[in-house]
């Protein structure tokens, strides 16, 4: 199987048809009618516009870390986003605004911010994929999410055939979603982040990370320490890409943590009697976010569950569904349905997938 942690050799322009498994962290996905590589924002726009003019809208694919592609693949054109570049566009004594090309590998960008003494995304270390994908699902982990630092998203609007920069309010950021997630109207070209000039991290919010750092929640630590601790925690859960570790052949968390209203949260507590209190985090308006991993485990789906059809739950984390090397998208989705339905039967809570499903569904 290919190592997608190392970039496969590509050049601008058309490529011979090939399996999209070559470009996804699951190592799953059938062939595309045509694969082209765009190395600049201008090339992205040109290729997407040309596909639309030919009445064959192109699928956009960057890091492939949050996408599940059908075994049948994609009949049309796929544009691989491989634009690179990080530029400071505003600077004061206390802050910088950094413009990041959509194809810039996310963890490389985070590493660069830590080295530069810019605080604000250090707890998102180790997240796979590209910078341009982060606003699409409002990437978040260990107490940070990109909506907190994004100040602009440059997009190509396929409907209006224009390029413009969208303000955060226009992006409709919410928990693991945005205006962009379920619409292909907008193609992200670059993202602007406002970061603090500081060698100390933002206040540590996440309890597990605070414990790993041996600090209290709300304390700050050196940026490099925060990054190292986050990467270690992620690696322990199989959430840092490793070409020889099948526990990392995934899209990370397959399901989002359910957000329940007060009545649904009380119903869950009643149905969970005897197996423990569901881990939960209160939110605005009386809603409660509960742990999908806990629900999965307590519904009888333990780490390593599956082992058929070449797919299984990760041996390190119950939220990751993995390709063990000989899997298929069909088998992966069958496992996801089994887990979703089992959790609903046990607790009355419906789990929703976090990745984008391409030419397939649950």
């Amino acid at each position: 199987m290919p190592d997608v942690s190392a970039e496969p050799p590509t050049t601008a322009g058309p490529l011979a048809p090939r399996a999209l498994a070559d470009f996804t962290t699951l190592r799953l996905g059938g062939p595309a009618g045509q694969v082209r590589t765009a190395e600049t924002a201008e090339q992205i726009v040109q290729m997407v516009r040309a596909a639309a003019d030919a009445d064959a809208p192109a699928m956009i694919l960057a890091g492939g870390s949050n996408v599940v592609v059908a075994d049948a693949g994609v009949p049309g054109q796929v544009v691989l986003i491989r634009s690179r570049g990080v530029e400071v566009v505003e600077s004061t004594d206390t802050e910088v605004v950094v413009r990041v090309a959509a194809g810039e590998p996310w963890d490389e960008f985070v590493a660069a911010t830590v080295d530069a003494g810019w605080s604000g995304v250090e707890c998102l270390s180790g997240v796979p994929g590209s910078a341009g994908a982060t606003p699409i699902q409002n990437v978040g982990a260990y107490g940070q999410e990109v909506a907190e630092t994004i100040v602009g998203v440059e997009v190509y609007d396929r409907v209006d055939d224009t390029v413009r920069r969208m303000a955060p309010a226009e992006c409709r950021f919410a928990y693991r979603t945005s205006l962009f997630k379920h619409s292909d109207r907008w193609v992200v070209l670059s993202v602007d982040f406002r970061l603090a000039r500081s060698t100390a991290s933002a206040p540590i919010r996440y309890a597990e990370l605070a414990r790993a750092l041996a600090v209290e929640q709300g304390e700050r630590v050196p940026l490099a320490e925060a990054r190292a601790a986050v990467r270690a925690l992620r690696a322990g859960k199989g959430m840092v890409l490793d070409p020889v570790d099948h526990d990392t052949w995934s899209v990370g968390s397959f399901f989002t943590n359910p957000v329940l209203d007060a009545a649904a949260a009380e119903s869950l507590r009643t149905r969970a009697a005897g197996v423990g209190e569901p881990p939960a985090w209160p939110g605005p308006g009386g809603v409660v976010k509960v742990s999908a991993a806990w629900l999965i485990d307590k519904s009888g789906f333990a780490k390593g569950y599956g082992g058929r059809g070449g797919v299984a739950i990760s041996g390190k984390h119950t939220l990751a569904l993995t390709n063990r090397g000989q899997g298929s998208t069909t088998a992966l989705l069958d496992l996801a349905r089994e887990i979703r339905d089992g959790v609903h039967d046990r607790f009355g809570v419906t789990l929703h997938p976090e990745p984008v499903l391409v030419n397939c569904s649950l």
Side-chain angles (χ1 to χ4, degrees), residues 117-171:
W118 301 335
S119 173
V121 293
E122 60 280 352
C123 292
L124 300 176
S125 292
V127 173
S130 67
T134 62
I136 294 173
Q137 70 172 78
N138 187 16
V139 165
Y142 295 100
Q144 289 180 345
E145 62 181 21
V146 293
E148 298 168 335
T149 52
I150 288 176
V151 293
V153 180
E154 183 188 26
V155 299
Y156 171 62
D157 186 330
R158 299 193 205 213
V159 173
D160 293 342
D161 191 24
T162 57
V163 173
R164 69 186 185 93
R165 196 165 301 279
M166 299 177 69
E170 296 178 90
C171 300

Side-chain angles (χ1 to χ4, degrees), residues 198-224:
S198 174
T199 57
S201 70
I204 301 298
R205 301 173 184 167
Y206 203 76
E208 182 185 22
L209 179 57
R211 288 193 297 270
L213 290 163
V215 299
E216 297 294 324
Q217 286 178 257
E219 291 187 37
R220 300 173 186 264
V221 300
L223 288 174

Side-chain angles (χ1 to χ4, degrees), residues 99-113:
R99 182 162 297 163
V100 189
E104 189 72 22
W106 174 254
D107 193 50
E108 290 184 21
F109 167 62
V110 176
T113 68

Side-chain angles (χ1 to χ4, degrees), residues 304-330:
Y305 178 88
R308 59 187 185 278
V311 300
I313 293 176
S314 166
K316 298 181 177 71
H317 199 287
T318 53
L319 267 182
L321 308 188
T322 64
N323 172 14
R324 309 313 294 181
Q326 301 297 323
S328 68
T329 300
T330 297

Side-chain angles (χ1 to χ4, degrees), residues 49-335:
R49 181 182 288 140
D53 289 344
D55 198 25
M59 172 189 165
I60 304 301
L61 186 62
S65 63
N66 197 52
V67 63
V68 179
V69 180
D71 294 318
V74 176
Q77 181 173 294
V78 173
V79 174
L80 297 176
I81 306 300
R82 296 296 184 262
S83 53
R84 299 292 294 265
V86 177
E87 176 188 7
V88 175
V89 294
E90 294 181 27
S91 181
T92 69
D93 290 342
T94 59
E95 295 180 329
V96 293
V97 174
V98 186
R99 182 162 297 163
V100 189
E104 189 72 22
W106 174 254
D107 193 50
E108 290 184 21
F109 167 62
V110 176
T113 68
V114 170
D115 290 343
W118 301 335
S119 173
V121 293
E122 60 280 352
C123 292
L124 300 176
S125 292
V127 173
S130 67
T134 62
I136 294 173
Q137 70 172 78
N138 187 16
V139 165
Y142 295 100
Q144 289 180 345
E145 62 181 21
V146 293
E148 298 168 335
T149 52
I150 288 176
V151 293
V153 180
E154 183 188 26
V155 299
Y156 171 62
D157 186 330
R158 299 193 205 213
V159 173
D160 293 342
D161 191 24
T162 57
V163 173
R164 69 186 185 93
R165 196 165 301 279
M166 299 177 69
E170 296 178 90
C171 300
R172 300 181 192 173
F173 291 123
Y175 172 63
R176 299 300 175 270
T177 192
S178 70
L179 176 71
F180 313 115
K181 185 165 184 179
H182 299 292
S183 172
D184 63 0
R185 174 174 176 173
W186 297 275
V187 180
V188 176
L189 302 177
S190 68
V191 188
D192 290 359
F193 297 90
R194 187 181 301 278
L195 305 173
R197 287 188 179 275
S198 174
T199 57
S201 70
I204 301 298
R205 301 173 184 167
Y206 203 76
E208 182 185 22
L209 179 57
R211 288 193 297 270
L213 290 163
V215 299
E216 297 294 324
Q217 286 178 257
E219 291 187 37
R220 300 173 186 264
V221 300
L223 288 174
E225 290 185 17
R227 173 172 166 78
V230 167
R231 284 184 59 86
L233 287 171
R234 291 184 64 86
K237 299 173 183 178
M239 299 292 187
V240 175
L241 294 178
D242 182 341
V244 300
D245 182 359
H246 289 175
D247 276 335
T248 74
W249 291 25
S250 76
V251 290
S253 297
F254 193 91
F255 296 104
T256 58
N257 290 324
V259 178
L260 308 178
D261 61 24
E266 183 58 34
S267 174
L268 171 60
R269 282 190 289 270
T270 300
R271 296 180 70 151
V275 295
E277 182 74 13
W281 302 268
V287 301
V288 177
K289 182 169 67 176
V290 298
S291 168
W294 186 92
L295 294 171
I296 292 168
D297 182 67
K298 298 302 181 183
S299 297
F301 304 104
K303 296 173 185 175
Y305 178 88
R308 59 187 185 278
V311 300
I313 293 176
S314 166
K316 298 181 177 71
H317 199 287
T318 53
L319 267 182
L321 308 188
T322 64
N323 172 14
R324 309 313 294 181
Q326 301 297 323
S328 68
T329 300
T330 297
L332 187 88
L333 294 177
D334 285 344
L335 176 60

